[in-house]
Amino acid sequence: LQFTSAIFVADEAEEFIVSVMRLGQLEGEVRCHYRTEEGSGKAGNRYEHVEGDLIFPSGEFERSIRIPIIESPLWSATMEFKVLLEHPIGCQLGKYLKICRVKVIDRDSFPSSFYAQEIEEDVESINQTGLFIEYVKLILEQPGNTWRFLITVIFDQLKNIYVWFTLKASVYMVNVVFGHSADSED
């Protein structure tokens, strides 16, 4: 048993089918276990984890594994996960095609779908500030980026607070501590 291809390409928000073929004699029942394995695409975010047993009755040479692909509102680069065949009974697994990769293509516009129509018509006509704001939104909507951004901004402001304090202390020192009043004697 082996996959019909080493790489499959899936569109977002569709149920995807991975094909497994049986080589050699078609007599007798054979089976194996299959499961998905995370790559850059995470189960529950880009696809639904599936696993089970694939049974080939006598005379059957091809079976399919259905994997639901999840729609994501965020643009993301091509995500990938693997499907594995393991634990064969009554057969052998292909040396290389017992594992296949599934690439999930995101058809959303970058950085968001807000300017999708303008991007198709004339990219140069898009407001650059608005496009930058959409890019910042995309970055901040990625898991873990918002809190990292806030921590960075807070710690970057510590330097500004230090400069402000130094200036205030210098002004105080010059005006109050070292300052001479008009009635004081030299």
Side-chain angles (χ1 to χ4, degrees):
L1 299 180
Q2 66 181 27
F3 290 105
T4 56
S5 177
I7 299 174
F8 292 89
V9 179
D11 275 329
E12 196 175 44
E14 294 181 359
E15 186 172 76
F16 185 68
I17 296 174
V18 175
S19 299
V20 179
M21 66 181 168
R22 177 179 180 176
L23 301 174
Q25 294 183 2
L26 300 179
E27 297 170 7
E29 181 182 276
V30 296
R31 64 177 59 207
C32 71
H33 186 77
Y34 66 88
R35 66 181 171 87
T36 56
E37 183 178 274
E38 292 184 351
S40 58
K42 303 300 180 197
N45 290 337
R46 298 304 280 170
Y47 68 95
E48 289 183 22
H49 173 74
V50 294
E51 75 176 277
D53 290 324
L54 203 55
I55 301 169
F56 286 80
S58 185
E60 194 164 337
F61 66 92
E62 187 174 22
R63 299 290 289 179
S64 299
I65 301 170
R66 297 184 184 283
I67 305 169
I69 306 296
I70 299 172
E71 172 75 36
S72 172
L74 299 176
W75 178 88
S76 56
T78 300
M79 298 292 188
E80 185 176 304
F81 63 93
K82 294 179 182 177
V83 183
L84 291 83
L85 299 176
E86 53 194 9
H87 311 302
I89 298 173
C91 61
Q92 290 182 344
L93 298 178
K95 185 174 183 179
Y96 301 108
L97 291 178
K98 63 184 174 186
I99 298 174
C100 75
R101 296 177 5 214
V102 179
K103 294 179 177 277
V104 181
I105 305 295
D106 191 345
R107 303 280 183 201
D108 294 333
S109 297
F110 176 81
S112 74
S113 297
F114 187 77
Y115 290 110
Q117 186 175 0
E118 290 88 343
I119 288 173
E120 289 179 14
E121 294 170 2
D122 182 22
V123 174
E124 299 297 323
S125 68
I126 298 173
N127 178 357
Q128 292 180 359
T129 305
L131 193 60
F132 179 71
I133 289 170
E134 291 299 315
Y135 173 73
V136 170
K137 285 183 196 176
L138 170 71
I139 297 302
L140 292 178
E141 287 174 348
Q142 299 299 319
N145 278 358
T146 303
W147 70 268
R148 287 184 180 105
F149 170 76
L150 292 174
I151 294 295
T152 302
V153 167
I154 289 168
F155 281 107
D156 281 351
Q157 294 309 311
L158 290 177
K159 184 176 180 183
N160 292 338
I161 291 169
Y162 172 76
V163 169
W164 177 82
F165 176 76
T166 305
L167 287 172
K168 284 300 237 179
S170 297
V171 167
Y172 176 79
M173 295 290 280
V174 168
N175 290 344
V176 176
V177 176
F178 300 121
H180 297 290
S181 62
D183 56 311
S184 66
E185 297 180 20
D186 291 314

